[in-house]
Amino acid sequence: MSNPLLDTSGLPNFDAIKPQHALPALQELIAAHRQKLADILAQPDAHDCASLITPMEEMSHELSRVWSPIGHLQSVLDDPAWRDAYNESLPLLTEHGTELSQNNELQKAYSQVSDNLPADADPALRALIEQELRDFRLAGVALPEAQKTRYRELAQEIAAIQATFEQNIQDATDHWHYQTVAGDAVTGLPASVRQRASADAKSNNVEGWWFKLDYPTYHAVMTHGENRELRETFYRAWSTRASDQAADLQWDNSEIIERIMSLRHEIAEIVGFDNYAAYSLATKMAGSANEVTEFLTELADKSRQTAKIELEQLTTFTGRSLQPWDFSFYMEKLKQDRFATSDEELKLYFPFATVKQGIFGVAEQLYGISVVENTNVSTWHENVKYFEISNANNELVGSFYTDLFARNGKRGGAWMDECVVRKDIAGTDTRPVGYLVCNFPPPDESGASFLTHTDVVTLFHEFGHMLHHLLTRITYPSISGINGVPWDAVELPSQFMENFAWCYDVLEKCSAHQDSGKSMPREVFDNLQASRNFGEALAMLRQIELALFDFRLHANYDPEKGANALPILNAVRAEVALIRHPDFNRLPHSFSHIFAGGYAAGYYSYKWAEVLAADAFAAFEETSIFDRATATRFREEILEIGGSRDFMDAYIAFRGRKPTLDALLRQSGIGKAA
Ligand SMILES: [Zn+2]
C-alpha cells in the first residue's frame, strides 16, 4: 500500500496518515533525494539555476511537506505512538540536513551559480544563493573531516535532546493534578473552570474538584482565585515543572539543560564562534552581542521608573507585601477598581466565533482578501477547521487549519507553523498552507468558548504570523513566507497585528455580548484602553529579564563551569527585576522557547521586533488604521518579501526611515506615569 505521507499532490490526508508511516516515508524520500543529488552533482556542465537551484528547492520543499504533518501531529495529538514516530524520524531529518549543508561539492556548485549570475539577476535568487552559502559556512563545510563528523554528532544530539526537553514539560504538566473538596478553593474562579474541575473530579471518581495544570486553568487560578493557598499551589506547580523541585522528579530537565548548553557551545566553537550567542547572531538583524545587550539595557533603564511606580501603586492598593502568586490576582483587582474593567466581564463580549469573524474582517479590510471556510477537508481532530484566503480577484492565495482549544496531550501555548510553503518554480505553482494552534478554553456544554481579551490579542498575533506565511509573493520556498527572515524580525508581523486588538473599530466587530448579543460599548472599551498601560512597564522588565537571561546564558558559557543557569538568572533578576521569586522557582526548566525552540540566544527578538511593530503601526496611526495605501506598502515591503532582501532596507522602504524606540515606549505608557 502506498504511504499517504508521500502523497504531496494535495493537502495532507490526515484521515489516512498514521504514526507507522513516518519513518518509512522519510527513509524512502531521503534515499531518493540522495540519488537525485548525486545525479545533479555528476553533471558535466557548469551549474546554473535550472540545473541546480530549481531541483534543490523542489527537494527541500518536498521534504518539508512530508515532515510537516509528522512534527505537527506529535505536538497536537495525545498519542504516544506519534511521539515515538517523531523521535525515531527526527535523527534522519537532522542527519540529512547536516549532510547537505556540509557537502563540499554542493557548496561549490552554489558558488559556481553565484559567480555566473548576470548583473540583472532576480534579487530574490541572489539573496537565496547568498543565504545558502552562508549556511554552508555555518555548518562547517570547509572544516577537516573529523570536525565535520563531530558537528554532525552534535547536531543530532541537540535535535533529539531539545525534543526531550519539550516532551518532559508536556508530561510534567499533563500528569499534575490537584484535588480538593474544600468549598472555598473555587471562590472567585470563572464558572467554566469550576465546571471543568468538577467534571474531571467525577470522571476520576472523587468528590469536589480536580484541577489540571493546562494554561487556561493555571491562568484563571492566578488571576481570579481568591484562595491564596490555591494560587500558591499553582504557582509552585507551574514554576517547578520538569525540575528538581517538582513533586515528581521523573521529568527533571536539570541535566538536559547542562547538556544542551554544552552541546551548543561546542558546535558554535567548531564553526569558529566564541560562543553560541555569537553563532546565533550570524543569522539575525542585530549586529553584535553588544548591540543586543545595550538595546535591552536601554529599554530596561527607560522602563524602570514607571515600573517602580506601578509596583508602589499595587502595594499601596493591596496594603500588604506581595508574593509572586499575588501579582496577577491583585493586578486584576486593581484594574477592576481603577478602570472598572474585569477580565471575566470582558470575556462575555468575546465569543470565539465573533472574534474569529472580526479578525478575518481586519485582514479583509487591510489587504482586500477574503477568508472562507471549507468543510470538505480531512483533519486530525473534530475541533479543527480549515479556511481559504483569496485575493480581491478571487484567486486563491493560501489556506490554513485552526486547532484552537486546549486538550490533554496537546503542547501548550500558541503558534503558527507551516504545512506547505509557497513554491512557484519550473512551472508548478503550490499555494502555502499553515497551522494556527492555540490553547483557548474548550467550548462549554452549549458549545461556546469565550475568550479573554488577552486570548483575543493572542489570536491576532498568530494570525499575523499566518498572513506573513500566506501572503508571500516569493516563489522560492527556502526564502518564501517566514523562511530566510531573520529571527529577530519574524515577530514583527505578529506583534504588528496585536495592535488592532486595541482599536475600538476592530473590537466593536469582534464582540457580541453573551446576554444581549450587542457589541462592546464605547465606555467599556475606553476602560479597557485606559487599563492597557497599567502593568506594562513591569511586564516589559519581565520580558527583558527573560531576554537577558537567555542571552547571557549563551554568551557567557564556560565549559569549565557548566551552564550556571540559576546563578545567571539570579544575577539578571537582581539587576533588572522588581519582583522577587522564591528559591524554589525553576523558570529555566520549562523555558522551552530557548531550550527546545528556535529562540536560543534569540529571546530578545520579541522586544527587538516589538520596536519595529510599534513603529510600523504608528505609520497607520499617523494616517488611519485601515489606510489602504499604508497597508499596501506594509504588505508589499514587509509581508510579501520573505527572506529575499535585507530586512532593515525593507523596513526603511516601508517607513521611510529606521525604526525608533519612541512608538513602543509611548504605546506602553512608559515615561507617562513618571
Ligand atoms: Zn509569535
Side-chain angles (χ1 to χ4, degrees):
M1 213 188 84
S2 67
N3 189 322
L5 269 173
L6 290 172
D7 177 5
T8 53
S9 58
L11 292 166
N13 183 0
F14 287 106
D15 289 325
I17 295 172
K18 300 283 176 265
Q20 62 269 26
H21 294 128
L23 189 62
L26 219 54
Q27 283 167 331
E28 191 180 325
L29 190 67
I30 289 176
H33 283 186
R34 282 202 176 108
Q35 186 53 52
K36 215 177 209 172
L37 178 65
D39 294 345
I40 293 171
L41 294 177
Q43 287 165 22
D45 303 328
H47 296 285
D48 60 19
C49 186
S51 73
L52 181 78
I53 312 291
T54 303
M56 290 307 294
E57 288 287 301
E58 292 275 1
M59 282 193 279
S60 92
H61 188 255
E62 190 178 26
L63 184 60
S64 95
R65 287 197 68 167
V66 171
W67 177 253
S68 168
I70 302 173
H72 175 67
L73 291 176
Q74 83 97 22
S75 55
V76 295
L77 290 184
D78 184 17
D79 183 352
W82 262 117
R83 185 184 286 184
D84 292 345
Y86 174 86
N87 290 344
E88 208 174 42
S89 314
L90 184 61
L92 266 74
L93 184 79
T94 317
E95 187 192 3
H96 185 60
T98 328
E99 197 180 285
L100 287 178
S101 46
Q102 289 192 339
N103 186 323
N104 294 79
E105 293 304 309
L106 185 58
Q107 187 244 359
K108 275 185 208 134
Y110 271 91
S111 295
Q112 215 171 52
V113 179
S114 170
D115 293 343
N116 295 330
L117 269 187
D120 62 346
D122 176 5
L125 178 63
R126 194 179 289 279
L128 180 155
I129 295 171
E130 268 170 28
Q131 187 180 300
E132 292 295 334
L133 291 172
R134 175 198 73 194
D135 292 346
F136 282 117
R137 278 195 304 279
L138 290 177
V141 70
L143 293 173
E145 210 43 54
Q147 278 178 290
K148 280 165 94 166
T149 307
R150 181 64 188 144
Y151 181 101
R152 284 199 296 277
E153 289 166 6
L154 290 165
Q156 277 295 358
E157 197 182 339
I158 289 173
I161 200 168
Q162 290 188 160
T164 310
F165 184 93
E166 177 77 53
Q167 288 157 6
N168 278 344
I169 300 169
Q170 203 176 314
D171 288 344
T173 310
D174 286 348
H175 283 85
W176 188 90
H177 76 271
Y178 175 72
Q179 187 254 333
T180 179
V181 290
D184 68 342
V186 292
T187 313
L189 295 182
S192 58
V193 175
R194 290 202 305 267
Q195 277 164 16
R196 269 207 310 280
S198 160
D200 285 337
K202 281 198 191 78
S203 62
N204 283 289
N205 295 315
V206 292
E207 298 286 304
W209 293 274
W210 176 287
F211 294 101
K212 294 180 190 163
L213 199 54
D214 56 276
Y215 186 75
T217 305
Y218 166 75
H219 179 260
V221 169
M222 297 311 285
T223 319
H224 305 292
E226 295 278 344
N227 188 313
R228 202 179 189 207
E229 272 169 49
L230 185 73
R231 292 203 307 269
E232 187 179 347
T233 303
F234 265 81
Y235 172 85
R236 186 180 282 271
W238 187 263
S239 67
T240 61
R241 282 176 303 155
S243 81
D244 58 318
Q245 297 293 310
D248 196 330
L249 296 179
Q250 61 176 310
W251 300 292
D252 182 7
N253 272 334
S254 303
E255 300 272 305
I256 292 183
I257 290 174
E258 287 298 330
R259 190 72 191 143
I260 289 175
M261 290 306 299
S262 148
L263 296 166
R264 283 181 183 163
H265 187 76
E266 194 183 340
I267 213 167
E269 280 196 323
I270 286 185
V271 290
F273 293 92
D274 290 342
N275 52 61
Y276 194 83
Y279 173 75
S280 149
L281 290 184
T283 53
K284 296 193 167 65
M285 268 180 96
S288 68
N290 258 350
E291 195 180 346
V292 172
T293 330
E294 274 170 21
F295 164 73
L296 292 172
T297 316
E298 186 186 351
L299 260 189
D301 289 345
K302 291 213 153 101
S303 311
R304 189 165 294 110
Q305 192 50 33
T306 311
K308 276 185 182 157
I309 294 169
E310 287 174 358
L311 187 58
E312 248 172 53
Q313 289 174 340
L314 194 61
T315 324
T316 312
F317 173 73
T318 56
R320 69 190 299 174
S321 78
L322 297 172
Q323 294 294 338
W325 44 90
D326 295 327
F327 280 97
S328 304
F329 178 74
Y330 285 112
M331 192 74 88
E332 174 65 15
K333 283 257 187 281
L334 189 148
K335 279 188 181 179
Q336 287 177 22
D337 184 77
R338 184 184 292 182
F339 306 105
T341 172
S342 107
D343 239 22
E344 279 307 296
E345 277 171 33
L346 281 173
K347 211 170 152 178
L348 301 176
Y349 285 104
F350 296 125
F352 168 71
T354 311
V355 175
K356 182 192 70 191
Q357 278 323 113
I359 290 185
F360 292 173
V362 169
E364 292 174 5
Q365 220 173 326
L366 284 172
Y367 307 121
I369 55 178
S370 62
V371 188
V372 178
E373 185 174 358
N374 176 347
T375 52
N376 292 319
V377 163
S378 143
T379 70
W380 56 92
H381 189 272
E382 57 185 11
N383 284 345
V384 175
K385 307 258 187 260
Y386 179 81
F387 299 90
E388 291 170 336
I389 291 191
S390 305
N391 261 334
N393 58 4
N394 256 338
E395 174 203 29
L396 182 71
V397 173
S399 55
F400 61 101
Y401 300 88
T402 60
D403 181 355
L404 299 172
F405 304 111
R407 60 175 177 266
N408 238 23
K410 181 173 165 182
R411 170 147 64 95
W415 67 90
M416 188 290 289
D417 202 0
E418 300 163 335
C419 174
V420 179
V421 179
R422 171 128 200 238
K423 174 181 71 93
D424 187 1
I425 43 176
T428 56
D429 188 358
T430 312
R431 297 286 146 173
V433 185
Y435 310 110
L436 201 167
V437 186
C438 294
N439 274 280
F440 294 144
D444 61 18
E445 287 143 1
S446 75
S449 171
F450 286 85
L451 306 188
T452 63
H453 183 256
T454 310
D455 292 335
V456 174
V457 174
T458 300
L459 198 53
F460 272 88
H461 178 106
E462 299 308 334
F463 195 59
H465 282 308
M466 190 58 82
L467 291 175
H468 194 189
H469 171 50
L470 299 183
L471 294 185
T472 192
R473 68 166 182 266
I474 301 301
T475 52
Y476 297 105
S478 62
I479 52 163
S480 141
I482 59 172
N483 292 293
V485 178
W487 201 263
D488 40 8
V490 158
E491 296 294 337
L492 161 59
S494 52
Q495 299 188 102
F496 166 77
M497 276 304 278
E498 288 183 23
N499 288 288
F500 289 88
W502 291 99
C503 297
Y504 182 64
D505 291 349
V506 173
L507 284 195
E508 201 186 12
K509 297 197 179 83
C510 285
S511 56
H513 195 278
Q514 185 180 29
D515 302 328
S516 66
K518 291 202 172 114
S519 45
M520 178 179 279
R522 183 79 211 196
E523 61 271 23
V524 173
F525 171 79
D526 287 342
N527 289 335
L528 171 67
Q529 181 71 13
S531 75
R532 176 182 187 181
N533 289 154
F534 191 78
E536 279 279 295
L538 281 168
M540 177 84 82
L541 287 188
R542 168 75 176 163
Q543 284 298 98
I544 295 170
E545 169 192 331
L546 298 178
L548 268 180
F549 162 65
D550 159 54
F551 204 75
R552 288 203 183 140
L553 184 73
H554 289 93
N556 300 347
Y557 183 84
D558 178 348
E560 301 284 305
K561 296 184 185 140
N564 267 318
L566 290 173
I568 291 176
L569 179 61
N570 287 336
V572 168
R573 281 178 167 165
E575 189 184 315
V576 175
L578 296 181
I579 295 169
R580 300 275 160 257
H581 288 273
D583 287 343
F584 64 75
N585 178 290
R586 288 292 181 272
L587 174 125
H589 294 69
S590 57
F591 199 177
S592 54
H593 274 86
I594 69 162
F595 291 115
Y599 288 87
Y603 196 79
Y604 78 87
S605 301
Y606 278 106
K607 281 293 149 203
W608 186 275
E610 201 181 0
V611 169
L612 302 176
D615 191 60
F617 188 69
F620 286 80
E621 291 173 317
E622 287 156 16
T623 49
S624 90
I625 61 162
F626 288 114
D627 183 63
R628 226 357 137 63
T630 314
T632 303
R633 215 166 58 241
F634 187 72
R635 178 177 179 169
E636 288 175 355
E637 304 292 358
I638 305 279
L639 285 182
E640 288 185 355
I641 63 158
S644 70
R645 65 185 290 201
D646 177 81
F647 206 85
M648 188 54 90
D649 291 349
Y651 189 83
I652 293 169
F654 161 67
R655 195 61 169 109
R657 58 162 174 77
K658 282 189 169 185
T660 71
L661 293 187
D662 301 349
L664 178 62
L665 293 174
R666 190 178 63 242
Q667 192 183 81
S668 313
I670 287 170
K672 210 162 56 183

